Amino acid sequence: MGIEINLSDMRINGDAQILNRATIQGNQDVGIKLNNLDVNGKAVVFDDLKINSILEELNASVQRMDKNSDEYCKIQDMLQEKQWNEKKFIKCVKEHVSDFSQGVLASIVANFLTNL
């Protein structure tokens, strides 16, 4: 069993800060359910959430890739980055997936998104 976070059918109001700067690690499935979540006022949920499992899975997958492929070179560049900020990482993933829509990273991201 992986990690499951369920905040469905909740109301978060005022200055509440829920799971900010949280880190989720591991190679198991991560499920985050936010169905009918109502966030109002200055409340913040999952600000600067770090899910390292995508990078961990990518690191494991790159070992099985064709070393001569264009995607392999780009993924190696991504894995060399020591510290990703969220916006830079998301931008990089978007660009990569648009270039390699059938690639390894696209598959990992798709698997992750289907578990949200």
Side-chain angles (χ1 to χ4, degrees), residues 11-45:
R11 280 192 200 159
I12 301 173
N13 299 306
D15 294 326
Q17 297 193 13
I18 309 294
L19 295 172
N20 296 328
R21 294 182 303 276
T23 300
I24 299 173
Q25 297 184 52
N27 57 1
Q28 301 212 0
D29 290 338
V30 176
I32 301 174
K33 294 181 182 177
L34 305 172
N35 301 329
N36 301 316
L37 176 64
D38 187 15
V39 180
N40 294 304
K42 295 181 181 179
V44 181
V45 179

PDB file of all heavy atoms in Angstrom, residues 11-45:
ATOM      1  N   ARG A  11     -13.755  21.829   4.391  1.00  0.00           N
ATOM      2  CA  ARG A  11     -13.716  23.283   4.257  1.00  0.00           C
ATOM      3  C   ARG A  11     -12.522  23.788   5.045  1.00  0.00           C
ATOM      4  O   ARG A  11     -12.385  23.492   6.231  1.00  0.00           O
ATOM      5  CB  ARG A  11     -14.972  23.919   4.840  1.00  0.00           C
ATOM      6  CG  ARG A  11     -16.126  23.869   3.939  1.00  0.00           C
ATOM      7  CD  ARG A  11     -17.212  24.772   4.469  1.00  0.00           C
ATOM      8  NE  ARG A  11     -18.451  24.372   3.869  1.00  0.00           N
ATOM      9  CZ  ARG A  11     -19.634  24.640   4.340  1.00  0.00           C
ATOM     10  NH1 ARG A  11     -19.742  25.331   5.451  1.00  0.00           N
ATOM     11  NH2 ARG A  11     -20.705  24.241   3.732  1.00  0.00           N
ATOM     12  N   ILE A  12     -11.669  24.542   4.380  1.00  0.00           N
ATOM     13  CA  ILE A  12     -10.493  25.105   5.030  1.00  0.00           C
ATOM     14  C   ILE A  12     -10.597  26.612   4.884  1.00  0.00           C
ATOM     15  O   ILE A  12     -10.658  27.132   3.767  1.00  0.00           O
ATOM     16  CB  ILE A  12      -9.200  24.548   4.398  1.00  0.00           C
ATOM     17  CG1 ILE A  12      -9.190  23.019   4.533  1.00  0.00           C
ATOM     18  CG2 ILE A  12      -7.982  25.177   5.047  1.00  0.00           C
ATOM     19  CD1 ILE A  12      -8.073  22.329   3.808  1.00  0.00           C
ATOM     20  N   ASN A  13     -10.628  27.315   6.008  1.00  0.00           N
ATOM     21  CA  ASN A  13     -10.899  28.753   6.001  1.00  0.00           C
ATOM     22  C   ASN A  13      -9.861  29.521   6.803  1.00  0.00           C
ATOM     23  O   ASN A  13      -8.997  28.944   7.459  1.00  0.00           O
ATOM     24  CB  ASN A  13     -12.289  29.023   6.614  1.00  0.00           C
ATOM     25  CG  ASN A  13     -13.397  28.370   5.842  1.00  0.00           C
ATOM     26  OD1 ASN A  13     -13.518  28.570   4.651  1.00  0.00           O
ATOM     27  ND2 ASN A  13     -14.208  27.561   6.519  1.00  0.00           N
ATOM     28  N   GLY A  14     -10.020  30.836   6.791  1.00  0.00           N
ATOM     29  CA  GLY A  14      -9.189  31.713   7.609  1.00  0.00           C
ATOM     30  C   GLY A  14      -7.748  31.707   7.161  1.00  0.00           C
ATOM     31  O   GLY A  14      -7.443  31.794   5.974  1.00  0.00           O
ATOM     32  N   ASP A  15      -6.849  31.600   8.121  1.00  0.00           N
ATOM     33  CA  ASP A  15      -5.417  31.589   7.849  1.00  0.00           C
ATOM     34  C   ASP A  15      -4.826  30.177   7.957  1.00  0.00           C
ATOM     35  O   ASP A  15      -3.613  30.026   8.138  1.00  0.00           O
ATOM     36  CB  ASP A  15      -4.682  32.503   8.845  1.00  0.00           C
ATOM     37  CG  ASP A  15      -5.041  33.964   8.665  1.00  0.00           C
ATOM     38  OD1 ASP A  15      -5.280  34.368   7.509  1.00  0.00           O
ATOM     39  OD2 ASP A  15      -5.087  34.698   9.656  1.00  0.00           O
ATOM     40  N   ALA A  16      -5.655  29.169   7.820  1.00  0.00           N
ATOM     41  CA  ALA A  16      -5.189  27.787   7.967  1.00  0.00           C
ATOM     42  C   ALA A  16      -4.127  27.457   6.929  1.00  0.00           C
ATOM     43  O   ALA A  16      -4.188  27.903   5.790  1.00  0.00           O
ATOM     44  CB  ALA A  16      -6.365  26.821   7.819  1.00  0.00           C
ATOM     45  N   GLN A  17      -3.138  26.700   7.349  1.00  0.00           N
ATOM     46  CA  GLN A  17      -2.095  26.222   6.454  1.00  0.00           C
ATOM     47  C   GLN A  17      -1.973  24.712   6.652  1.00  0.00           C
ATOM     48  O   GLN A  17      -1.580  24.259   7.718  1.00  0.00           O
ATOM     49  CB  GLN A  17      -0.770  26.924   6.748  1.00  0.00           C
ATOM     50  CG  GLN A  17      -0.857  28.413   6.493  1.00  0.00           C
ATOM     51  CD  GLN A  17       0.498  29.071   6.481  1.00  0.00           C
ATOM     52  OE1 GLN A  17       1.528  28.415   6.435  1.00  0.00           O
ATOM     53  NE2 GLN A  17       0.491  30.389   6.525  1.00  0.00           N
ATOM     54  N   ILE A  18      -2.315  23.979   5.608  1.00  0.00           N
ATOM     55  CA  ILE A  18      -2.395  22.524   5.695  1.00  0.00           C
ATOM     56  C   ILE A  18      -1.335  21.877   4.795  1.00  0.00           C
ATOM     57  O   ILE A  18      -1.294  22.139   3.599  1.00  0.00           O
ATOM     58  CB  ILE A  18      -3.796  22.018   5.270  1.00  0.00           C
ATOM     59  CG1 ILE A  18      -4.909  22.760   5.993  1.00  0.00           C
ATOM     60  CG2 ILE A  18      -3.905  20.512   5.436  1.00  0.00           C
ATOM     61  CD1 ILE A  18      -4.975  22.527   7.471  1.00  0.00           C
ATOM     62  N   LEU A  19      -0.477  21.063   5.379  1.00  0.00           N
ATOM     63  CA  LEU A  19       0.539  20.285   4.668  1.00  0.00           C
ATOM     64  C   LEU A  19       1.429  21.139   3.762  1.00  0.00           C
ATOM     65  O   LEU A  19       1.819  20.716   2.672  1.00  0.00           O
ATOM     66  CB  LEU A  19      -0.106  19.150   3.867  1.00  0.00           C
ATOM     67  CG  LEU A  19      -0.804  18.087   4.710  1.00  0.00           C
ATOM     68  CD1 LEU A  19      -1.557  17.128   3.821  1.00  0.00           C
ATOM     69  CD2 LEU A  19       0.184  17.338   5.576  1.00  0.00           C
ATOM     70  N   ASN A  20       1.773  22.328   4.212  1.00  0.00           N
ATOM     71  CA  ASN A  20       2.678  23.172   3.450  1.00  0.00           C
ATOM     72  C   ASN A  20       4.112  22.732   3.694  1.00  0.00           C
ATOM     73  O   ASN A  20       4.466  22.291   4.773  1.00  0.00           O
ATOM     74  CB  ASN A  20       2.495  24.639   3.838  1.00  0.00           C
ATOM     75  CG  ASN A  20       1.111  25.124   3.465  1.00  0.00           C
ATOM     76  OD1 ASN A  20       0.534  24.682   2.487  1.00  0.00           O
ATOM     77  ND2 ASN A  20       0.571  26.026   4.245  1.00  0.00           N
ATOM     78  N   ARG A  21       4.922  22.836   2.675  1.00  0.00           N
ATOM     79  CA  ARG A  21       6.321  22.411   2.700  1.00  0.00           C
ATOM     80  C   ARG A  21       6.456  20.928   3.081  1.00  0.00           C
ATOM     81  O   ARG A  21       7.477  20.521   3.627  1.00  0.00           O
ATOM     82  CB  ARG A  21       7.158  23.310   3.617  1.00  0.00           C
ATOM     83  CG  ARG A  21       7.268  24.735   3.087  1.00  0.00           C
ATOM     84  CD  ARG A  21       8.119  25.613   3.959  1.00  0.00           C
ATOM     85  NE  ARG A  21       7.674  25.707   5.340  1.00  0.00           N
ATOM     86  CZ  ARG A  21       6.755  26.529   5.795  1.00  0.00           C
ATOM     87  NH1 ARG A  21       6.136  27.330   4.969  1.00  0.00           N
ATOM     88  NH2 ARG A  21       6.433  26.558   7.060  1.00  0.00           N
ATOM     89  N   ALA A  22       5.437  20.164   2.803  1.00  0.00           N
ATOM     90  CA  ALA A  22       5.482  18.726   3.081  1.00  0.00           C
ATOM     91  C   ALA A  22       6.313  18.023   2.016  1.00  0.00           C
ATOM     92  O   ALA A  22       6.417  18.480   0.882  1.00  0.00           O
ATOM     93  CB  ALA A  22       4.067  18.145   3.103  1.00  0.00           C
ATOM     94  N   THR A  23       6.892  16.919   2.388  1.00  0.00           N
ATOM     95  CA  THR A  23       7.665  16.098   1.459  1.00  0.00           C
ATOM     96  C   THR A  23       7.102  14.689   1.487  1.00  0.00           C
ATOM     97  O   THR A  23       6.928  14.106   2.551  1.00  0.00           O
ATOM     98  CB  THR A  23       9.156  16.060   1.859  1.00  0.00           C
ATOM     99  OG1 THR A  23       9.669  17.381   1.852  1.00  0.00           O
ATOM    100  CG2 THR A  23       9.957  15.211   0.894  1.00  0.00           C
ATOM    101  N   ILE A  24       6.802  14.170   0.316  1.00  0.00           N
ATOM    102  CA  ILE A  24       6.336  12.794   0.187  1.00  0.00           C
ATOM    103  C   ILE A  24       7.427  12.043  -0.551  1.00  0.00           C
ATOM    104  O   ILE A  24       7.812  12.415  -1.652  1.00  0.00           O
ATOM    105  CB  ILE A  24       5.004  12.726  -0.581  1.00  0.00           C
ATOM    106  CG1 ILE A  24       3.920  13.498   0.172  1.00  0.00           C
ATOM    107  CG2 ILE A  24       4.594  11.277  -0.803  1.00  0.00           C
ATOM    108  CD1 ILE A  24       2.620  13.627  -0.577  1.00  0.00           C
ATOM    109  N   GLN A  25       7.936  10.985   0.079  1.00  0.00           N
ATOM    110  CA  GLN A  25       9.030  10.231  -0.517  1.00  0.00           C
ATOM    111  C   GLN A  25       8.656   8.763  -0.603  1.00  0.00           C
ATOM    112  O   GLN A  25       7.819   8.286   0.128  1.00  0.00           O
ATOM    113  CB  GLN A  25      10.287  10.369   0.338  1.00  0.00           C
ATOM    114  CG  GLN A  25      10.789  11.787   0.432  1.00  0.00           C
ATOM    115  CD  GLN A  25      12.076  11.855   1.205  1.00  0.00           C
ATOM    116  OE1 GLN A  25      13.010  11.136   0.909  1.00  0.00           O
ATOM    117  NE2 GLN A  25      12.131  12.714   2.193  1.00  0.00           N
ATOM    118  N   GLY A  26       9.339   8.075  -1.469  1.00  0.00           N
ATOM    119  CA  GLY A  26       9.139   6.642  -1.595  1.00  0.00           C
ATOM    120  C   GLY A  26       8.848   6.265  -3.025  1.00  0.00           C
ATOM    121  O   GLY A  26       8.621   7.107  -3.875  1.00  0.00           O
ATOM    122  N   ASN A  27       8.847   4.968  -3.282  1.00  0.00           N
ATOM    123  CA  ASN A  27       8.598   4.502  -4.636  1.00  0.00           C
ATOM    124  C   ASN A  27       7.246   3.807  -4.745  1.00  0.00           C
ATOM    125  O   ASN A  27       6.990   3.104  -5.682  1.00  0.00           O
ATOM    126  CB  ASN A  27       9.726   3.576  -5.099  1.00  0.00           C
ATOM    127  CG  ASN A  27       9.906   2.395  -4.182  1.00  0.00           C
ATOM    128  OD1 ASN A  27       9.181   2.247  -3.211  1.00  0.00           O
ATOM    129  ND2 ASN A  27      10.883   1.556  -4.486  1.00  0.00           N
ATOM    130  N   GLN A  28       6.400   4.024  -3.768  1.00  0.00           N
ATOM    131  CA  GLN A  28       5.063   3.459  -3.821  1.00  0.00           C
ATOM    132  C   GLN A  28       4.099   4.495  -4.367  1.00  0.00           C
ATOM    133  O   GLN A  28       4.424   5.671  -4.480  1.00  0.00           O
ATOM    134  CB  GLN A  28       4.636   3.018  -2.428  1.00  0.00           C
ATOM    135  CG  GLN A  28       5.572   1.988  -1.859  1.00  0.00           C
ATOM    136  CD  GLN A  28       4.873   1.019  -0.970  1.00  0.00           C
ATOM    137  OE1 GLN A  28       3.676   1.096  -0.760  1.00  0.00           O
ATOM    138  NE2 GLN A  28       5.613   0.073  -0.442  1.00  0.00           N
ATOM    139  N   ASP A  29       2.889   4.078  -4.714  1.00  0.00           N
ATOM    140  CA  ASP A  29       1.891   4.996  -5.241  1.00  0.00           C
ATOM    141  C   ASP A  29       1.558   6.077  -4.225  1.00  0.00           C
ATOM    142  O   ASP A  29       1.490   5.824  -3.027  1.00  0.00           O
ATOM    143  CB  ASP A  29       0.598   4.248  -5.590  1.00  0.00           C
ATOM    144  CG  ASP A  29       0.765   3.349  -6.802  1.00  0.00           C
ATOM    145  OD1 ASP A  29       1.686   3.597  -7.591  1.00  0.00           O
ATOM    146  OD2 ASP A  29      -0.028   2.414  -6.940  1.00  0.00           O
ATOM    147  N   VAL A  30       1.358   7.288  -4.729  1.00  0.00           N
ATOM    148  CA  VAL A  30       0.923   8.403  -3.903  1.00  0.00           C
ATOM    149  C   VAL A  30      -0.439   8.823  -4.421  1.00  0.00           C
ATOM    150  O   VAL A  30      -0.592   9.158  -5.588  1.00  0.00           O
ATOM    151  CB  VAL A  30       1.905   9.598  -4.002  1.00  0.00           C
ATOM    152  CG1 VAL A  30       1.382  10.781  -3.204  1.00  0.00           C
ATOM    153  CG2 VAL A  30       3.286   9.191  -3.533  1.00  0.00           C
ATOM    154  N   GLY A  31      -1.436   8.795  -3.559  1.00  0.00           N
ATOM    155  CA  GLY A  31      -2.783   9.220  -3.936  1.00  0.00           C
ATOM    156  C   GLY A  31      -3.196  10.431  -3.121  1.00  0.00           C
ATOM    157  O   GLY A  31      -3.114  10.415  -1.897  1.00  0.00           O
ATOM    158  N   ILE A  32      -3.598  11.489  -3.802  1.00  0.00           N
ATOM    159  CA  ILE A  32      -4.065  12.704  -3.124  1.00  0.00           C
ATOM    160  C   ILE A  32      -5.457  12.995  -3.653  1.00  0.00           C
ATOM    161  O   ILE A  32      -5.632  13.280  -4.837  1.00  0.00           O
ATOM    162  CB  ILE A  32      -3.118  13.897  -3.384  1.00  0.00           C
ATOM    163  CG1 ILE A  32      -1.705  13.573  -2.902  1.00  0.00           C
ATOM    164  CG2 ILE A  32      -3.655  15.151  -2.703  1.00  0.00           C
ATOM    165  CD1 ILE A  32      -0.674  14.615  -3.235  1.00  0.00           C
ATOM    166  N   LYS A  33      -6.445  12.902  -2.782  1.00  0.00           N
ATOM    167  CA  LYS A  33      -7.835  13.146  -3.178  1.00  0.00           C
ATOM    168  C   LYS A  33      -8.287  14.482  -2.602  1.00  0.00           C
ATOM    169  O   LYS A  33      -8.169  14.727  -1.404  1.00  0.00           O
ATOM    170  CB  LYS A  33      -8.737  12.025  -2.674  1.00  0.00           C
ATOM    171  CG  LYS A  33      -8.437  10.692  -3.315  1.00  0.00           C
ATOM    172  CD  LYS A  33      -9.360   9.606  -2.823  1.00  0.00           C
ATOM    173  CE  LYS A  33      -8.973   8.284  -3.453  1.00  0.00           C
ATOM    174  NZ  LYS A  33      -9.795   7.192  -2.950  1.00  0.00           N
ATOM    175  N   LEU A  34      -8.796  15.338  -3.489  1.00  0.00           N
ATOM    176  CA  LEU A  34      -9.241  16.670  -3.089  1.00  0.00           C
ATOM    177  C   LEU A  34     -10.660  16.950  -3.587  1.00  0.00           C
ATOM    178  O   LEU A  34     -11.012  18.100  -3.819  1.00  0.00           O
ATOM    179  CB  LEU A  34      -8.271  17.727  -3.664  1.00  0.00           C
ATOM    180  CG  LEU A  34      -6.799  17.541  -3.307  1.00  0.00           C
ATOM    181  CD1 LEU A  34      -5.936  18.524  -4.077  1.00  0.00           C
ATOM    182  CD2 LEU A  34      -6.574  17.702  -1.823  1.00  0.00           C
ATOM    183  N   ASN A  35     -11.455  15.922  -3.738  1.00  0.00           N
ATOM    184  CA  ASN A  35     -12.812  16.086  -4.239  1.00  0.00           C
ATOM    185  C   ASN A  35     -13.627  16.986  -3.320  1.00  0.00           C
ATOM    186  O   ASN A  35     -13.660  16.791  -2.109  1.00  0.00           O
ATOM    187  CB  ASN A  35     -13.522  14.733  -4.367  1.00  0.00           C
ATOM    188  CG  ASN A  35     -12.783  13.790  -5.290  1.00  0.00           C
ATOM    189  OD1 ASN A  35     -12.130  14.230  -6.229  1.00  0.00           O
ATOM    190  ND2 ASN A  35     -12.866  12.509  -5.005  1.00  0.00           N
ATOM    191  N   ASN A  36     -14.272  17.984  -3.903  1.00  0.00           N
ATOM    192  CA  ASN A  36     -15.133  18.915  -3.158  1.00  0.00           C
ATOM    193  C   ASN A  36     -14.403  19.626  -2.024  1.00  0.00           C
ATOM    194  O   ASN A  36     -14.995  19.962  -1.009  1.00  0.00           O
ATOM    195  CB  ASN A  36     -16.366  18.194  -2.603  1.00  0.00           C
ATOM    196  CG  ASN A  36     -17.195  17.573  -3.703  1.00  0.00           C
ATOM    197  OD1 ASN A  36     -17.439  18.205  -4.728  1.00  0.00           O
ATOM    198  ND2 ASN A  36     -17.598  16.336  -3.520  1.00  0.00           N
ATOM    199  N   LEU A  37     -13.124  19.862  -2.183  1.00  0.00           N
ATOM    200  CA  LEU A  37     -12.352  20.614  -1.195  1.00  0.00           C
ATOM    201  C   LEU A  37     -12.677  22.089  -1.374  1.00  0.00           C
ATOM    202  O   LEU A  37     -12.635  22.621  -2.473  1.00  0.00           O
ATOM    203  CB  LEU A  37     -10.855  20.386  -1.392  1.00  0.00           C
ATOM    204  CG  LEU A  37      -9.915  21.187  -0.479  1.00  0.00           C
ATOM    205  CD1 LEU A  37     -10.116  20.788   0.981  1.00  0.00           C
ATOM    206  CD2 LEU A  37      -8.473  20.971  -0.895  1.00  0.00           C
ATOM    207  N   ASP A  38     -12.997  22.772  -0.284  1.00  0.00           N
ATOM    208  CA  ASP A  38     -13.370  24.185  -0.312  1.00  0.00           C
ATOM    209  C   ASP A  38     -12.337  24.968   0.502  1.00  0.00           C
ATOM    210  O   ASP A  38     -12.253  24.819   1.711  1.00  0.00           O
ATOM    211  CB  ASP A  38     -14.774  24.348   0.287  1.00  0.00           C
ATOM    212  CG  ASP A  38     -15.325  25.753   0.155  1.00  0.00           C
ATOM    213  OD1 ASP A  38     -14.769  26.549  -0.633  1.00  0.00           O
ATOM    214  OD2 ASP A  38     -16.317  26.048   0.838  1.00  0.00           O
ATOM    215  N   VAL A  39     -11.518  25.775  -0.192  1.00  0.00           N
ATOM    216  CA  VAL A  39     -10.482  26.567   0.463  1.00  0.00           C
ATOM    217  C   VAL A  39     -10.844  28.038   0.297  1.00  0.00           C
ATOM    218  O   VAL A  39     -10.990  28.524  -0.822  1.00  0.00           O
ATOM    219  CB  VAL A  39      -9.092  26.286  -0.157  1.00  0.00           C
ATOM    220  CG1 VAL A  39      -8.020  27.111   0.533  1.00  0.00           C
ATOM    221  CG2 VAL A  39      -8.758  24.803  -0.080  1.00  0.00           C
ATOM    222  N   ASN A  40     -10.980  28.757   1.426  1.00  0.00           N
ATOM    223  CA  ASN A  40     -11.406  30.156   1.394  1.00  0.00           C
ATOM    224  C   ASN A  40     -10.462  31.037   2.205  1.00  0.00           C
ATOM    225  O   ASN A  40      -9.698  30.556   3.033  1.00  0.00           O
ATOM    226  CB  ASN A  40     -12.824  30.292   1.969  1.00  0.00           C
ATOM    227  CG  ASN A  40     -13.849  29.592   1.107  1.00  0.00           C
ATOM    228  OD1 ASN A  40     -13.959  29.872  -0.069  1.00  0.00           O
ATOM    229  ND2 ASN A  40     -14.569  28.651   1.693  1.00  0.00           N
ATOM    230  N   GLY A  41     -10.595  32.338   1.990  1.00  0.00           N
ATOM    231  CA  GLY A  41      -9.804  33.296   2.745  1.00  0.00           C
ATOM    232  C   GLY A  41      -8.335  33.198   2.384  1.00  0.00           C
ATOM    233  O   GLY A  41      -7.973  33.041   1.223  1.00  0.00           O
ATOM    234  N   LYS A  42      -7.489  33.252   3.388  1.00  0.00           N
ATOM    235  CA  LYS A  42      -6.041  33.169   3.183  1.00  0.00           C
ATOM    236  C   LYS A  42      -5.512  31.755   3.416  1.00  0.00           C
ATOM    237  O   LYS A  42      -4.313  31.544   3.539  1.00  0.00           O
ATOM    238  CB  LYS A  42      -5.325  34.146   4.119  1.00  0.00           C
ATOM    239  CG  LYS A  42      -5.636  35.595   3.813  1.00  0.00           C
ATOM    240  CD  LYS A  42      -4.888  36.512   4.748  1.00  0.00           C
ATOM    241  CE  LYS A  42      -5.226  37.958   4.462  1.00  0.00           C
ATOM    242  NZ  LYS A  42      -4.520  38.858   5.381  1.00  0.00           N
ATOM    243  N   ALA A  43      -6.410  30.797   3.481  1.00  0.00           N
ATOM    244  CA  ALA A  43      -6.009  29.407   3.717  1.00  0.00           C
ATOM    245  C   ALA A  43      -5.148  28.892   2.562  1.00  0.00           C
ATOM    246  O   ALA A  43      -5.354  29.258   1.405  1.00  0.00           O
ATOM    247  CB  ALA A  43      -7.237  28.525   3.888  1.00  0.00           C
ATOM    248  N   VAL A  44      -4.191  28.064   2.893  1.00  0.00           N
ATOM    249  CA  VAL A  44      -3.259  27.510   1.904  1.00  0.00           C
ATOM    250  C   VAL A  44      -3.130  26.012   2.154  1.00  0.00           C
ATOM    251  O   VAL A  44      -2.973  25.566   3.290  1.00  0.00           O
ATOM    252  CB  VAL A  44      -1.876  28.188   2.030  1.00  0.00           C
ATOM    253  CG1 VAL A  44      -0.916  27.628   1.002  1.00  0.00           C
ATOM    254  CG2 VAL A  44      -1.980  29.696   1.888  1.00  0.00           C
ATOM    255  N   VAL A  45      -3.179  25.244   1.068  1.00  0.00           N
ATOM    256  CA  VAL A  45      -3.047  23.790   1.152  1.00  0.00           C
ATOM    257  C   VAL A  45      -1.973  23.334   0.179  1.00  0.00           C
ATOM    258  O   VAL A  45      -1.946  23.753  -0.980  1.00  0.00           O
ATOM    259  CB  VAL A  45      -4.383  23.098   0.809  1.00  0.00           C
ATOM    260  CG1 VAL A  45      -4.253  21.585   0.881  1.00  0.00           C
ATOM    261  CG2 VAL A  45      -5.487  23.578   1.722  1.00  0.00           C
TER     262      VAL A  45
END
